[in-house]
Each structure stands twice: as C-alpha cells, then as structure tokens.
Amino acid sequence: LENAKARLWHIKDGKITIAPRLTHDRRIKRSRLTLEDFKAIVHPDSMKAYEELCDINAEEGYKSKRLQLSYDGETWKWYEFIYSVTKDTARRGSLAGLMLNIVSLVENEKKLIETQKRESEIKAKESFIVNIGTKMNIPFEAIIGTSQLFAYDKGELSSEDKQQLSSIIHDN
C-alpha cells in the first residue's frame, strides 16, 4: 500500500468512520459520517452495493464492493471497500475493512472493454469480408470461365451456344 490511495473504514452504531492520514486522497473531507450522510454521497447506481456494504448480518466471507462516491456533488470517484464478514460481525454490530481509490483501475477496465469490443467488431468485419468474398468468388469464376470460352472461340460455338453462354454471364 506504499503508493496506494487507501483508507481504513469502520461501520458501527449507524456511523461510518474513515481513518484519516492513511492516504493522499484529499477528496475525503470528513472522516466520520452517519450512514444516511454517507448514503447521500453514494451514486444512485451504487445503491445496491451500499446496502450490501452496510449489512452486518450478511453471509460470512470475504467481500468486495465498488461504490461511486462524490464529496462535492459533482465529481464521482470509484472506491472499492474490501472487508470480511465473520460470526463476530453481527454480535459486535460492526464491520471494518480497507477502502481503496480505484479510479485508475476502473478507467483501465473501461479501456480494456472498449478495446475488446473494437477487436470483436474488426473480427466480425473480417469474417464478413471473407464470407462475402467466398460467395462472390463462384459467380466471378462463372463469368471468367464463360468469357474465356467466348474469347478463345474459333468459330466452333453456335449462335444457340453463344446465347446460352451470354445468359450465364448475365445471370452471374
């Protein structure tokens, strides 16, 4: 965590305390909020994760929740809350864990998804071109082959043959 933007956090008695001075993240102005005040800075899309984070009676195990928070009401930043729910969590009525600023991680994930989407689109276009090329190849071969019969005709083709070959060229 040497260069990580991280803080410890603790939920107890309807309040969340975010430990100061563990990070260089200056966006966090207040270190102790009621859960309602904390909810007010959570992005609407992150409400489900917020509710799960505040559930001290959740199923036991390692948990990780991503929330978008805004301390100024305008700029939204991504944070990941990492914690573990144990048998003692509900008994003590508290949760604690690590809060990481993951803005750059989320941005990199978005770039990766965009890159994968572009690669998929390129593969689809290449596949289309290969398929259309194969489908176009058959008529072109018919046109070329029939045209060669005309080109190298030494008077052996009857007018009926020529009309039939012309029809093949036209159809293809």
Side-chain angles (χ1 to χ4, degrees):
L1 296 176
E2 188 174 312
N3 291 316
K5 293 182 177 181
R7 288 179 177 240
L8 297 174
W9 60 271
H10 181 244
I11 294 177
K12 186 172 179 131
D13 300 328
K15 293 186 170 99
I16 184 166
T17 304
I18 301 169
R21 299 203 172 97
L22 183 65
T23 182
H24 301 104
D25 191 351
R26 304 276 188 251
R27 286 178 210 65
I28 301 173
K29 305 280 188 246
R30 294 169 35 200
S31 62
R32 189 171 176 95
L33 301 164
T34 66
L35 289 178
E36 283 304 309
D37 289 341
F38 184 65
K39 185 177 183 178
I41 65 171
V42 175
H43 191 279
D45 293 345
S46 296
M47 281 302 157
K48 185 175 186 235
Y50 163 80
E51 308 248 335
E52 292 169 353
L53 175 71
C54 295
D55 184 7
I56 60 172
N57 295 311
E59 185 178 320
E60 290 183 26
Y62 171 81
K63 309 283 182 184
S64 175
K65 302 294 174 206
R66 286 185 174 185
L67 283 81
Q68 266 186 294
L69 307 177
S70 177
Y71 293 94
D72 61 8
E74 296 174 18
T75 308
W76 295 96
K77 302 292 180 187
W78 282 99
Y79 293 88
E80 185 160 7
F81 289 75
I82 301 169
Y83 59 104
S84 184
V85 177
T86 65
K87 291 178 185 177
D88 294 333
T89 302
R91 185 179 53 78
R92 287 180 292 145
S94 69
L95 278 175
L98 189 62
M99 176 181 165
L100 299 171
N101 180 327
I102 58 167
V103 172
S104 59
L105 176 66
V106 171
E107 288 171 359
N108 288 340
E109 286 174 354
K110 285 179 182 177
K111 287 177 185 174
L112 178 62
I113 290 168
E114 288 173 16
T115 300
Q116 289 171 338
K117 183 180 175 185
R118 280 194 301 271
E119 286 176 358
S120 175
E121 290 170 353
I122 289 168
K123 285 181 183 177
K125 287 177 185 175
E126 288 174 351
S127 175
F128 172 78
I129 291 169
V130 166
N131 287 337
I132 203 72
T134 301
K135 289 178 181 175
M136 293 295 290
N137 202 19
I138 294 168
F140 284 139
E141 287 178 1
I143 292 169
I144 292 168
T146 308
S147 300
Q148 286 176 342
L149 287 174
F150 272 121
Y152 299 111
D153 178 32
K154 297 180 182 167
E156 299 167 351
L157 295 174
S158 67
S159 60
E160 200 175 280
D161 290 338
K162 290 179 183 180
Q163 188 174 2
Q164 187 180 6
L165 292 174
S166 295
S167 178
I168 291 172
I169 291 172
H170 180 267
D171 290 346
N172 283 292

